[in-house]
Amino acid sequence: MSRIGKLPITVPAGVTINISDDNKVSVKGKEGELSQAVHPSIKVNLSDGTLSLEIDEAYDLSAKQKQAFHGLYRALLHNMVVGVSEGYEKRMELVGVGYRVSNQGNLLEFSLGYTHPILLQLPAEIKVETKSERNQNPLIILKSCDKQLLGQVCAKIRSFRKPEPYKGKGIRFVGEIIRRKSGKSASAK
């Protein structure tokens, strides 16, 4: 048995869960609505405000694969329940001279030292806010109920200008520590 898969998921007030016959789980809350198809080797049970997953031993699949699915789907369903009840938020900052970001609705416009501005259209499920204050790095605040989609969008934004180890310039998460390297002047002695 998977250790993570055995843990029950407590469903907070205001969250409704619907399990269909074809093993599709829909979760609805104040932040939004998400759904996830679950592999047939995993049974999803809802009782007394608690969601639990168990392995179907009759299904023909290796034990290792069943355990992997057990933990995977428990984690995915837990992220969905937390997402629709509380939501997720990621903060990113642009470090570098002249790096700027602005948004109009869900369209982000980056100025990252290239010859052209970079435009990124965000999905409708993500709410974005940008802040540019004097003597502080520009900030991007992304909010969504879908943790997976939010992580994907953050990875895409970060790929425009990854933080480099010499001066620390680039797009990074707030509070992220970049391992710094000394330049060639330090090794010349």
Side-chain angles (χ1 to χ4, degrees):
M1 293 281 287
S2 166
R3 280 191 221 166
I4 293 172
K6 283 193 274 188
L7 299 172
I9 302 167
T10 55
V11 180
V15 175
T16 57
I17 296 178
N18 184 22
I19 303 165
S20 65
D21 294 334
D22 58 340
N23 237 13
K24 189 170 185 179
V25 180
S26 300
V27 183
K28 191 173 186 178
K30 65 177 181 180
E31 296 289 325
E33 184 175 357
L34 297 170
S35 62
Q36 173 70 46
V38 179
H39 195 269
S41 65
I42 305 297
K43 292 180 191 170
V44 183
N45 303 319
L46 179 64
S47 62
D48 302 332
T50 303
L51 193 66
S52 61
L53 283 79
E54 58 185 54
I55 296 173
D56 184 4
E57 297 298 336
Y59 196 81
D60 185 32
L61 201 64
S62 71
K64 196 171 189 176
Q65 187 64 54
K66 285 181 189 177
Q67 287 179 0
F69 280 150
H70 195 208
L72 168 75
Y73 287 113
R74 191 268 175 200
L76 290 176
L77 293 177
H78 180 262
N79 288 344
M80 287 168 53
V81 169
V82 172
V84 298
S85 61
E86 301 168 21
Y88 291 101
E89 179 180 287
K90 295 273 187 181
R91 293 173 167 259
M92 303 179 88
E93 62 182 342
L94 282 68
V95 180
V97 177
Y99 287 7
R100 291 188 305 275
V101 65
S102 62
N103 73 309
Q104 294 171 345
N106 270 16
L107 181 70
L108 282 174
E109 182 178 354
F110 293 93
S111 175
L112 299 172
Y114 295 115
T115 58
H116 57 282
I118 298 172
L119 300 173
L120 178 67
Q121 181 66 47
L122 297 178
E125 296 88 11
I126 293 184
K127 297 173 186 73
V128 65
E129 181 185 343
T130 56
K131 291 184 181 177
S132 296
E133 295 177 13
R134 194 174 174 95
N135 296 331
Q136 288 189 345
N137 295 328
L139 198 65
I140 307 167
I141 302 166
L142 300 161
K143 295 178 183 177
S144 179
C145 64
D146 192 347
K147 187 175 185 179
Q148 223 172 338
L149 181 65
L150 188 64
Q152 256 182 326
V153 168
C154 288
K156 179 70 176 173
I157 290 172
R158 189 181 162 99
S159 72
F160 294 145
R161 191 65 98 162
K162 287 188 178 162
E164 53 96 18
Y166 296 102
K167 292 184 179 176
K169 292 169 37 173
I171 302 174
R172 66 173 109 171
F173 293 102
V174 172
E176 180 182 3
I177 298 169
I178 305 295
R179 287 188 64 188
R180 302 295 290 272
K181 293 181 180 178
S182 57
K184 60 184 178 183
S185 61
S187 63
K189 293 180 181 180

